[in-house]
Amino acid sequence: MRCTSLLVCVSALVTCASSAGILYPRESESREVKSLDGMWNFRLSLPDSLVGFKERWYMKDLSKTGPVIQMPVPSSYNDVIVDKKIRDHVGLVWYDKSFFVPESWRQQGYRVCLRFGSVNYAAQVWVNTHLVLSHEIGHLPFQRDITANLKFGRLNRITVAVDNVLLQTTVPQGSLQNISTNTGPKTIQTYTFDFFNYAGIHRSVFLYTTPIVYIDDVDVTTNYTEDGVGIINYNIQYGGSLSSGETLNCSITVLNNENVREKITVITNDEEGLSGVIKIENAKLWWPYLMHEEPGYMYTLEIRLSTTWNVDDVYRLPVGIRTIKWTNTAFLINNKPAYLRGFGRHEDSDIRGKGMDYALVTRDYDLIKWIGANSYRTSHYPYAEEIMDFADKHGIMIVDECPSVDTVNFSDKLLKKHTTSLAELIKRDKNRPSVIMWSIANEPRSDQKDADSYFKSVAIFVKNLDGSRPITAAIATQLDTDQLGQHLDIIGFNRYNAWYTLPGHTEIIKSRLEDEAAKWHAKHNKPVFMTEYGADSYAGLHMGPSFVWSEEYQVELMSEHFRAFDTLRSKNFFIGEMIWNFADFKTEQTVTRVGGNKKGIFTRQREPKSSAYHLRKRYWSLANRLD
Ligand code: GCB
């Protein structure tokens, strides 16, 4: 076998979800956080994909192995650089960077962790020539205590190998194809999903410190009583070992968002006691945007872990108090039925690709609120934790999706990785009030042999990890052959009437859509929402009478969907509409796309098309509010 990828050749080193926590690094009295973002050395692994391993590039400065360029982190290397060779590279690339670790960290007895928010798709990481981390499945964080590998008071080197190859056993799936070219044989990556295979170090890289005995993870669920008492159930796991005779104290303080103490609970010397219940009189609930005058209300759980001989550890976790329930016709938040007005989205913008960027996220949330939406699906993979923080704070409900997209050829190996991606996602996002559902897949071939048992296993797996939220998926398979819907709590379906089916014929939409949604409900007796519909439009293309790809056609197609949605809402099982897509986005090169997918109601530069104004009118009126 010719080795072309990390996945094929060193898969034994790839870690699976571990039982340790993955709390977001936050500074406190006991914790320092140092960012390793900035410019890193970068080079492609050429002439062959494994040359970096053969020549052990992790043993020396990358700049000593050959010519390097400077690459920003976070960003997608295959978007930011204007070099076709880099954009189209299939296989491994290498990054390295020097960083300083203060001597004071050793003096204070800190434990130092290295944490990546996301590297796509697979990564191996060395610190000062020691292999410290391996991770597969992009879009999810991974970390490790690297204290033993550091040189305190000196410069250290971090080296990262990144592999963007997708195979039939990765999540998402892809294939490699060999083609002949003028300069000899070449391997190209192919995949069926409709977004660009951005690669690189996509989110922030942090070093953070903790004391030797530390808060490793926190689980929170919330509720409230009829007389207004908010309930926070918590469970805290600690890491590090206690010496014999050493006792553990944990105190928890809840701060409201004016930083006023609400309630203190103290538990002493009792590991069992790291679970408990906090009650808050006259609690303020977490509400979605436009469902309440103060949406997204967050408390802070201030956790202090003290031991007899070690330094205290302090971690502050944002917490929203809300309940989620679902019946066979409705989805309820704080016991009120909620109707989802939302989008499918992508982490995508020009130049940075999927690189996390606060300015972009701020603009996006501004636009989401401007348009009056209250929700979106993280199609088709988990979004950055920083983006999810905005959702918590602004009251935007999230259908949180794992990276399983267009899944075919169901195998045990794939199932293992698919469930690993969900385990890592749930561990990361379990405490977020904004997360209202887990989406276990987008458009799998759920009519294929084995789809039934495969998705049954996925659904049971998720339910065992979190029974407090419904599971859903975006189904594209036809209703009579689909085998996935039966395993879900809420049915999501994608349909492109008058676009891929009978383009130009918007007159088919209303009756088809009403008929299909009613049948999904009748088949499964579960709530139904539309996870995708839409039309491409090329911003600035106007045609009268309307014609496919014009702004007028996109608006007309939306109007027909709105008419169907209105009828469906009156039938009382239809819980939401999510247009595809929030903004135009980059895809692989294909003749059916003009510079990428243009179904955005905003352009890639976040300028509104005619459809944005049209959707705005609808979403504000659905919220029963004039803006
Ligand atoms: C779909 C996919 C989405 C595509 C969209 C389209 O059904 O779920 O990833 O981008 O169609 O525009 O074709």
Side-chain angles (χ1 to χ4, degrees):
M1 178 179 61
R2 190 173 148 251
C3 286
T4 48
S5 99
L6 263 187
L7 299 165
V8 178
C9 299
V10 281
S11 56
L13 289 169
V14 168
T15 52
C16 290
S18 74
S19 58
I22 191 80
L23 290 175
Y24 191 77
R26 295 177 198 278
E27 284 180 327
S28 73
E29 299 83 317
S30 61
R31 296 178 172 226
E32 288 186 38
V33 179
K34 181 183 166 101
S35 165
L36 299 186
D37 293 356
M39 300 307 285
W40 291 47
N41 294 319
F42 174 89
R43 69 173 293 196
L44 301 180
S45 185
L46 289 176
D48 77 81
S49 200
L50 289 179
V51 60
F53 282 101
K54 289 184 209 144
E55 295 180 2
R56 307 209 295 168
W57 289 355
Y58 46 88
M59 295 302 288
K60 47 192 164 201
D61 282 354
L62 201 54
S63 60
K64 305 253 164 64
T65 65
V68 293
I69 60 167
Q70 295 296 295
M71 187 62 71
V73 168
S75 77
S76 299
Y77 68 76
N78 50 0
D79 204 36
V80 77
I81 302 293
V82 192
D83 178 348
K84 205 170 157 188
K85 213 163 68 219
I86 295 182
R87 186 195 63 195
D88 298 341
H89 179 75
V90 177
L92 283 149
V93 303
W94 291 75
Y95 289 74
D96 89 353
K97 184 181 178 72
S98 294
F99 61 97
F100 185 78
V101 179
E103 174 61 31
S104 60
W105 284 11
R106 189 206 336 245
Q107 286 159 358
Q108 290 173 53
Y110 281 158
R111 177 179 162 267
V112 185
C113 291
L114 171 65
R115 188 186 198 273
F116 288 80
S118 153
V119 181
N120 203 31
Y121 170 79
Q124 295 215 326
V125 182
W126 293 259
V127 170
N128 298 325
T129 75
H130 303 284
L131 179 63
V132 293
L133 275 169
S134 299
H135 186 259
E136 180 185 339
I137 308 176
H139 317 289
L140 287 159
F142 54 100
Q143 65 177 13
R144 161 107 186 249
D145 175 350
I146 55 159
T147 319
N149 308 106
L150 289 173
K151 298 181 207 158
F152 291 88
R154 290 164 57 193
L155 277 178
N156 293 255
R157 187 178 59 244
I158 178 169
T159 310
V160 184
V162 183
D163 192 353
N164 68 353
V165 167
L166 299 177
L167 305 171
Q168 284 299 286
T169 49
T170 59
V171 184
Q173 292 169 301
S175 311
L176 294 177
Q177 192 188 335
N178 293 319
I179 56 167
S180 49
T181 72
N182 296 342
T183 51
K186 183 176 170 183
T187 304
I188 57 169
Q189 172 79 66
T190 60
Y191 43 82
T192 57
F193 56 79
D194 183 41
F195 53 90
F196 193 73
N197 189 22
Y198 288 122
I201 305 178
H202 281 157
R203 299 177 190 155
S204 286
V205 186
F206 292 120
L207 282 182
Y208 71 91
T209 68
T210 74
I212 297 299
V213 178
Y214 58 94
I215 298 155
D216 181 49
D217 204 3
V218 188
D219 282 281
V220 159
T221 57
T222 61
N223 207 336
Y224 62 91
T225 64
E226 267 171 24
D227 47 356
V229 178
I231 297 172
I232 303 176
N233 304 295
Y234 63 86
N235 181 286
I236 294 159
Q237 289 100 60
Y238 72 92
S241 34
L242 296 174
S243 314
S244 87
E246 191 168 27
T247 57
L248 189 71
N249 295 338
C250 182
S251 74
I252 302 180
T253 306
V254 181
L255 307 173
N256 65 23
N257 72 6
E258 289 88 44
N259 265 348
V260 177
R261 278 160 196 262
E262 291 274 348
K263 169 96 187 170
I264 303 178
T265 309
V266 183
I267 310 128
T268 47
N269 193 17
D270 179 4
E271 282 180 38
E272 295 288 309
L274 296 183
S275 304
V277 181
I278 297 174
K279 295 190 174 156
I280 301 170
E281 305 287 331
N282 301 317
K284 288 193 179 178
L285 300 184
W286 186 95
W287 284 100
Y289 179 56
L290 299 184
M291 246 174 120
H292 190 266
E293 62 281 358
E294 204 176 348
Y297 190 90
M298 299 292 283
Y299 289 93
T300 301
L301 213 60
E302 185 180 274
I303 303 160
R304 177 177 294 270
L305 193 70
S306 323
T307 54
T308 320
W309 297 302
N310 277 298
V311 181
D312 290 3
D313 190 20
V314 181
Y315 188 84
R316 294 185 178 83
L317 179 80
V319 171
I321 300 177
R322 57 109 181 92
T323 61
I324 280 177
K325 290 184 187 137
W326 63 99
T327 67
N328 51 3
T329 53
F331 170 78
L332 302 107
I333 193 144
N334 300 335
N335 288 318
K336 276 203 181 157
Y339 185 75
L340 305 176
R341 313 179 298 270
F343 298 98
R345 298 190 59 205
H346 269 296
E347 268 183 326
D348 169 282
S349 81
D350 46 3
I351 303 171
R352 337 159 170 73
K354 274 198 209 306
M356 161 61 205
D357 178 336
Y358 273 116
L360 179 74
V361 181
T362 304
R363 168 64 68 95
D364 282 356
Y365 274 84
D366 234 28
L367 292 176
I368 288 168
K369 290 172 72 177
W370 173 81
I371 219 154
N374 62 6
S375 54
Y376 66 83
R377 177 167 62 115
T378 66
S379 37
H380 297 306
Y381 37 77
Y383 288 8
E385 291 152 283
E386 294 84 354
I387 299 180
M388 302 295 283
D389 284 347
F390 275 67
D392 284 338
K393 280 188 198 137
H394 291 281
I396 302 300
M397 294 179 278
I398 301 292
V399 177
D400 211 359
E401 190 156 281
C402 75
S404 164
V405 42
D406 293 9
T407 312
V408 289
N409 303 333
F410 304 100
S411 66
D412 288 347
K413 203 165 172 192
L414 187 70
L415 178 63
K416 177 87 192 92
K417 289 203 188 141
H418 191 161
T419 50
T420 298
S421 78
L422 280 155
E424 291 186 19
L425 174 62
I426 293 169
K427 181 174 284 180
R428 192 193 75 161
D429 288 351
K430 63 192 168 187
N431 294 327
R432 294 191 178 275
S434 58
V435 174
I436 56 162
M437 297 182 206
W438 303 116
S439 170
I440 62 173
N442 178 72
E443 298 198 353
R445 286 292 308 276
S446 52
D447 53 351
Q448 270 197 345
K449 188 173 159 291
D450 299 336
D452 181 8
S453 61
Y454 182 94
F455 282 108
K456 184 175 180 195
S457 306
V458 176
I460 292 172
F461 181 87
V462 173
K463 283 285 165 202
N464 282 337
L465 289 179
D466 180 14
S468 74
R469 293 173 174 95
I471 58 174
T472 190
I475 305 175
T477 304
Q478 295 302 319
L479 179 124
D480 21 332
T481 49
D482 170 68
Q483 317 222 39
L484 165 58
Q486 58 190 322
H487 303 299
L488 305 176
D489 297 310
I490 293 181
I491 307 288
F493 75 103
N494 297 352
R495 204 62 76 208
Y496 286 89
N497 288 315
W499 186 254
Y500 296 124
T501 309
L502 295 173
H505 292 281
T506 53
E507 70 278 12
I508 65 163
I509 292 170
K510 188 167 181 317
S511 57
R512 280 195 181 213
L513 190 53
E514 288 173 15
D515 185 51
E516 181 172 8
K519 282 186 175 148
W520 279 114
H521 176 63
K523 183 174 175 189
H524 296 296
N525 195 23
K526 292 170 183 169
V528 175
F529 71 129
M530 188 153 209
T531 30
E532 282 183 33
Y533 72 97
D536 288 80
S537 74
Y538 198 84
L541 177 68
H542 293 283
M543 292 178 87
S546 76
F547 202 84
V548 286
W549 286 88
S550 66
E551 294 203 26
E552 286 72 16
Y553 188 77
Q554 190 183 29
V555 165
E556 181 180 311
L557 179 140
M558 287 162 71
S559 297
E560 287 304 304
H561 280 84
F562 298 165
R563 293 201 319 128
F565 295 148
D566 285 341
T567 314
L568 287 168
R569 288 183 68 214
S570 67
K571 297 216 168 121
N572 205 26
F573 61 83
F574 193 72
I575 62 154
E577 52 191 87
M578 292 193 166
I579 193 168
W580 190 257
N581 189 285
F582 173 72
D584 295 345
F585 58 90
K586 186 163 164 177
T587 61
E588 201 42 79
Q589 298 190 62
T590 137
V591 291
T592 56
R593 299 274 178 259
V594 186
N597 188 307
K598 295 274 188 279
K599 292 194 185 67
I601 60 155
F602 296 101
T603 64
R604 251 183 127 202
Q605 292 69 34
R606 275 44 180 182
E607 300 301 343
K609 301 182 189 170
S610 310
S611 51
Y613 296 98
H614 195 49
L615 192 66
R616 183 168 193 249
K617 251 196 217 139
R618 174 164 180 83
Y619 280 1
W620 280 94
S621 76
L622 281 176
N624 290 321
R625 299 262 291 264
L626 298 172
D627 64 313

